[in-house]
Amino acid sequence: MEHRGFVYTGHPARVLFGFGTTDRLPEEVARLGASRALILSTPHQEGQAAHLASLLGSASAGIFAEAVMHTPVDVSERATECASKLSADVIVSVGGGSTTGLGKAIALRTDLPQIVLPTTYAGSEMTPILGETQNGIKTTQTTARVLPEVVIYDVDQTMELPVGLSGTSGINAIAHAVEALYARDGNPVISALALEAVKALATSLPKIAQDPRDRDARFDALYGAWLCGMCLGAVGMSLHHKLCHTLGGSFDLPHSETHTVILPHALAYNAAAIPEVMASLTTVLGQDPARALQDLARTIHAPTGLSEIGMPEDGLDRATELALKNSYWNPRPLQPEAIRGLLQRAFEGALPLADGRETA
């Protein structure tokens, strides 16, 4: 594809995409009629937040650099109190899913507008979905109240993303597209975007692993992540996302790594029920999709087993129980024994199986 920046205005989100688009933050704040921006980040990315504050000058009201994984309710409440004390009239989030989630949590409580500058490939900036964690349980809700008004995709913001996180964040994004392909409320437009997204990321992630400074590959990866986010925001998700939310919220596993490990196994679980989707993915990935996604993880040196990312084996039974606690749609019926087997294979980093057989 041609590597040229562009501006896309949708409803209700406005998207700026290209190189160097961060410099347009002040005009986007002004366009919203705002003058007191609260800038959010993780502790690790506070330097990036400070850069945005200097860019905004007098329009910066302050920085809250306490965003963490899985959006704990107590952090959300502290951040909301901070926004109130500073009389903030817009939230600016810089970072990945953790920071975006915190911005959404504030918006849920205050209805403040949001501007998001993603630095990973998480995709949550394009969705009206918020997941918050309290007492070890992650609860997800969908409401237009948390959808960001403006998203500024700046490829330059991703150039320093570590290779490991680039890979797992990218496969996390692929998971959104894969589940969109067999969503109950899926449609041809989203399916077309999903296949384009999977192709863009599956092609670019190995290039980034070899050369993190490859600007064309970084462009393609962020482009793919944007499309994946659109998929996630437009249709419902199924077993894969439920398992990942359960494992992340209840066992405090790292978000993108969990998605990376689970995706091949969840896809294999559903394979027999979605033959057309599997055929479409095969044309994009070049081989059995579940095996291809696990091979992709290995190619970029990402984890392939839950045991590698802190999951206790004695928690697998509880994870199965939690994943089945509330009913949700999935193309294949939710079978406790089969899901327990899925989690065991994912724990061990074994090959993905469909109906007890290897997928290739």
Short mmCIF file of all heavy atoms in Angstrom, two decimals, residues 238-268:
data_model
loop_
_atom_site.label_atom_id
_atom_site.label_comp_id
_atom_site.label_asym_id
_atom_site.label_seq_id
_atom_site.Cartn_x
_atom_site.Cartn_y
_atom_site.Cartn_z
N SER A 238 -16.59 -12.82 21.13
CA SER A 238 -17.06 -14.13 21.59
C SER A 238 -16.07 -14.75 22.58
O SER A 238 -15.49 -14.05 23.40
CB SER A 238 -17.30 -15.05 20.38
OG SER A 238 -18.21 -14.46 19.48
N LEU A 239 -15.87 -16.08 22.46
CA LEU A 239 -15.12 -16.85 23.45
C LEU A 239 -13.72 -16.29 23.70
O LEU A 239 -13.29 -16.20 24.85
CB LEU A 239 -15.02 -18.31 22.99
CG LEU A 239 -14.16 -19.23 23.85
CD1 LEU A 239 -14.76 -19.38 25.25
CD2 LEU A 239 -14.01 -20.60 23.18
N HIS A 240 -13.01 -15.96 22.64
CA HIS A 240 -11.63 -15.49 22.83
C HIS A 240 -11.56 -14.32 23.80
O HIS A 240 -10.77 -14.34 24.76
CB HIS A 240 -11.00 -15.09 21.49
CG HIS A 240 -9.71 -14.36 21.67
ND1 HIS A 240 -8.52 -15.00 21.90
CD2 HIS A 240 -9.43 -13.03 21.70
CE1 HIS A 240 -7.56 -14.11 22.06
NE2 HIS A 240 -8.09 -12.90 21.93
N HIS A 241 -12.35 -13.30 23.55
CA HIS A 241 -12.29 -12.11 24.40
C HIS A 241 -12.78 -12.40 25.81
O HIS A 241 -12.26 -11.84 26.79
CB HIS A 241 -13.07 -10.95 23.76
CG HIS A 241 -12.31 -10.26 22.69
ND1 HIS A 241 -12.13 -10.80 21.43
CD2 HIS A 241 -11.63 -9.07 22.69
CE1 HIS A 241 -11.40 -9.98 20.70
NE2 HIS A 241 -11.08 -8.93 21.43
N LYS A 242 -13.78 -13.27 25.94
CA LYS A 242 -14.26 -13.63 27.27
C LYS A 242 -13.15 -14.32 28.07
O LYS A 242 -12.93 -14.00 29.25
CB LYS A 242 -15.47 -14.55 27.16
CG LYS A 242 -16.03 -15.00 28.51
CD LYS A 242 -16.55 -13.83 29.32
CE LYS A 242 -17.19 -14.31 30.60
NZ LYS A 242 -17.74 -13.18 31.40
N LEU A 243 -12.45 -15.25 27.44
CA LEU A 243 -11.36 -15.93 28.14
C LEU A 243 -10.26 -14.96 28.55
O LEU A 243 -9.75 -15.02 29.67
CB LEU A 243 -10.77 -17.02 27.24
CG LEU A 243 -11.64 -18.27 27.00
CD1 LEU A 243 -10.96 -19.20 26.00
CD2 LEU A 243 -11.92 -19.00 28.30
N CYS A 244 -9.91 -14.05 27.64
CA CYS A 244 -8.84 -13.11 27.95
C CYS A 244 -9.22 -12.14 29.05
O CYS A 244 -8.39 -11.81 29.91
CB CYS A 244 -8.43 -12.36 26.67
SG CYS A 244 -7.60 -13.42 25.46
N HIS A 245 -10.47 -11.67 29.05
CA HIS A 245 -10.91 -10.78 30.12
C HIS A 245 -10.91 -11.52 31.46
O HIS A 245 -10.55 -10.96 32.50
CB HIS A 245 -12.30 -10.24 29.82
CG HIS A 245 -12.29 -9.13 28.82
ND1 HIS A 245 -13.42 -8.48 28.40
CD2 HIS A 245 -11.27 -8.54 28.14
CE1 HIS A 245 -13.12 -7.55 27.53
NE2 HIS A 245 -11.81 -7.57 27.35
N THR A 246 -11.31 -12.79 31.43
CA THR A 246 -11.31 -13.58 32.65
C THR A 246 -9.90 -13.78 33.18
O THR A 246 -9.62 -13.55 34.37
CB THR A 246 -11.95 -14.96 32.39
OG1 THR A 246 -13.31 -14.78 32.01
CG2 THR A 246 -11.89 -15.84 33.62
N LEU A 247 -8.99 -14.18 32.32
CA LEU A 247 -7.62 -14.44 32.73
C LEU A 247 -6.91 -13.16 33.18
O LEU A 247 -6.18 -13.15 34.17
CB LEU A 247 -6.84 -15.08 31.58
CG LEU A 247 -7.29 -16.50 31.19
CD1 LEU A 247 -6.68 -16.90 29.86
CD2 LEU A 247 -6.91 -17.50 32.27
N GLY A 248 -7.15 -12.07 32.45
CA GLY A 248 -6.51 -10.81 32.80
C GLY A 248 -7.06 -10.22 34.09
O GLY A 248 -6.31 -9.82 34.98
N GLY A 249 -8.39 -10.16 34.19
CA GLY A 249 -9.01 -9.52 35.34
C GLY A 249 -8.88 -10.31 36.63
O GLY A 249 -8.70 -9.74 37.70
N SER A 250 -8.95 -11.65 36.54
CA SER A 250 -8.96 -12.48 37.74
C SER A 250 -7.58 -13.01 38.14
O SER A 250 -7.38 -13.40 39.29
CB SER A 250 -9.93 -13.66 37.55
OG SER A 250 -11.25 -13.20 37.32
N PHE A 251 -6.65 -13.05 37.19
CA PHE A 251 -5.32 -13.58 37.50
C PHE A 251 -4.22 -12.56 37.21
O PHE A 251 -3.03 -12.89 37.28
CB PHE A 251 -5.08 -14.87 36.71
CG PHE A 251 -6.06 -15.97 37.07
CD1 PHE A 251 -7.23 -16.11 36.35
CD2 PHE A 251 -5.82 -16.80 38.13
CE1 PHE A 251 -8.16 -17.10 36.68
CE2 PHE A 251 -6.73 -17.79 38.48
CZ PHE A 251 -7.90 -17.95 37.75
N ASP A 252 -4.62 -11.34 36.86
CA ASP A 252 -3.70 -10.23 36.65
C ASP A 252 -2.61 -10.57 35.63
O ASP A 252 -1.44 -10.22 35.80
CB ASP A 252 -3.06 -9.78 37.97
CG ASP A 252 -2.46 -8.38 37.88
OD1 ASP A 252 -3.01 -7.56 37.12
OD2 ASP A 252 -1.45 -8.11 38.56
N LEU A 253 -3.01 -11.24 34.56
CA LEU A 253 -2.05 -11.56 33.50
C LEU A 253 -1.89 -10.37 32.56
O LEU A 253 -2.83 -9.59 32.38
CB LEU A 253 -2.52 -12.78 32.70
CG LEU A 253 -2.73 -14.08 33.46
CD1 LEU A 253 -3.02 -15.21 32.47
CD2 LEU A 253 -1.53 -14.43 34.34
N PRO A 254 -0.74 -10.21 31.94
CA PRO A 254 -0.53 -9.09 31.01
C PRO A 254 -1.49 -9.20 29.82
O PRO A 254 -1.66 -10.28 29.23
CB PRO A 254 0.93 -9.24 30.59
CG PRO A 254 1.28 -10.66 30.88
CD PRO A 254 0.45 -11.05 32.07
N HIS A 255 -2.07 -8.08 29.46
CA HIS A 255 -3.21 -8.06 28.52
C HIS A 255 -2.85 -8.60 27.14
O HIS A 255 -3.45 -9.58 26.66
CB HIS A 255 -3.74 -6.63 28.41
CG HIS A 255 -4.93 -6.49 27.53
ND1 HIS A 255 -6.19 -6.80 27.94
CD2 HIS A 255 -5.05 -6.08 26.24
CE1 HIS A 255 -7.06 -6.59 26.95
NE2 HIS A 255 -6.38 -6.15 25.91
N SER A 256 -1.91 -7.96 26.46
CA SER A 256 -1.66 -8.35 25.08
C SER A 256 -1.02 -9.73 24.98
O SER A 256 -1.29 -10.48 24.03
CB SER A 256 -0.78 -7.30 24.38
OG SER A 256 0.50 -7.22 24.98
N GLU A 257 -0.21 -10.10 25.95
CA GLU A 257 0.40 -11.44 25.95
C GLU A 257 -0.67 -12.52 26.11
O GLU A 257 -0.59 -13.59 25.50
CB GLU A 257 1.44 -11.55 27.07
CG GLU A 257 2.72 -10.78 26.82
CD GLU A 257 2.63 -9.33 27.32
OE1 GLU A 257 1.50 -8.84 27.55
OE2 GLU A 257 3.70 -8.70 27.46
N THR A 258 -1.68 -12.24 26.93
CA THR A 258 -2.77 -13.20 27.12
C THR A 258 -3.52 -13.41 25.81
O THR A 258 -3.82 -14.54 25.42
CB THR A 258 -3.73 -12.71 28.21
OG1 THR A 258 -3.00 -12.51 29.43
CG2 THR A 258 -4.83 -13.72 28.47
N HIS A 259 -3.83 -12.33 25.11
CA HIS A 259 -4.49 -12.44 23.81
C HIS A 259 -3.63 -13.24 22.83
O HIS A 259 -4.14 -14.06 22.06
CB HIS A 259 -4.77 -11.05 23.24
CG HIS A 259 -5.99 -10.40 23.78
ND1 HIS A 259 -7.23 -10.52 23.20
CD2 HIS A 259 -6.18 -9.62 24.87
CE1 HIS A 259 -8.13 -9.85 23.89
NE2 HIS A 259 -7.51 -9.29 24.91
N THR A 260 -2.34 -13.00 22.85
CA THR A 260 -1.43 -13.69 21.94
C THR A 260 -1.45 -15.19 22.16
O THR A 260 -1.48 -15.98 21.20
CB THR A 260 0.01 -13.15 22.13
OG1 THR A 260 0.02 -11.75 21.83
CG2 THR A 260 0.99 -13.86 21.23
N VAL A 261 -1.45 -15.61 23.42
CA VAL A 261 -1.45 -17.04 23.74
C VAL A 261 -2.79 -17.70 23.41
O VAL A 261 -2.84 -18.79 22.84
CB VAL A 261 -1.11 -17.25 25.24
CG1 VAL A 261 -1.32 -18.71 25.63
CG2 VAL A 261 0.32 -16.81 25.53
N ILE A 262 -3.88 -17.04 23.76
CA ILE A 262 -5.21 -17.66 23.66
C ILE A 262 -5.74 -17.71 22.23
O ILE A 262 -6.44 -18.66 21.84
CB ILE A 262 -6.22 -16.91 24.56
CG1 ILE A 262 -5.87 -17.14 26.04
CG2 ILE A 262 -7.65 -17.35 24.29
CD1 ILE A 262 -6.04 -18.58 26.51
N LEU A 263 -5.43 -16.72 21.40
CA LEU A 263 -6.08 -16.60 20.09
C LEU A 263 -6.03 -17.88 19.24
O LEU A 263 -7.07 -18.31 18.73
CB LEU A 263 -5.49 -15.42 19.32
CG LEU A 263 -6.09 -15.19 17.92
CD1 LEU A 263 -7.59 -14.97 17.99
CD2 LEU A 263 -5.40 -14.02 17.23
N PRO A 264 -4.87 -18.53 19.05
CA PRO A 264 -4.87 -19.73 18.22
C PRO A 264 -5.79 -20.83 18.75
O PRO A 264 -6.47 -21.53 17.99
CB PRO A 264 -3.41 -20.18 18.24
CG PRO A 264 -2.63 -18.96 18.61
CD PRO A 264 -3.51 -18.20 19.53
N HIS A 265 -5.85 -20.96 20.08
CA HIS A 265 -6.65 -22.02 20.69
C HIS A 265 -8.15 -21.71 20.61
O HIS A 265 -8.96 -22.60 20.35
CB HIS A 265 -6.21 -22.21 22.14
CG HIS A 265 -4.78 -22.62 22.27
ND1 HIS A 265 -4.35 -23.91 22.08
CD2 HIS A 265 -3.66 -21.89 22.54
CE1 HIS A 265 -3.04 -23.98 22.23
NE2 HIS A 265 -2.59 -22.76 22.52
N ALA A 266 -8.52 -20.46 20.82
CA ALA A 266 -9.93 -20.08 20.71
C ALA A 266 -10.42 -20.23 19.27
O ALA A 266 -11.55 -20.67 19.02
CB ALA A 266 -10.13 -18.66 21.21
N LEU A 267 -9.57 -19.86 18.31
CA LEU A 267 -9.95 -20.00 16.91
C LEU A 267 -10.10 -21.47 16.54
O LEU A 267 -11.04 -21.86 15.85
CB LEU A 267 -8.91 -19.32 16.01
CG LEU A 267 -9.20 -19.36 14.51
CD1 LEU A 267 -10.53 -18.71 14.17
CD2 LEU A 267 -8.07 -18.67 13.74
N ALA A 268 -9.19 -22.30 17.02
CA ALA A 268 -9.29 -23.74 16.75
C ALA A 268 -10.55 -24.33 17.37
O ALA A 268 -11.20 -25.19 16.76
CB ALA A 268 -8.05 -24.45 17.29
#
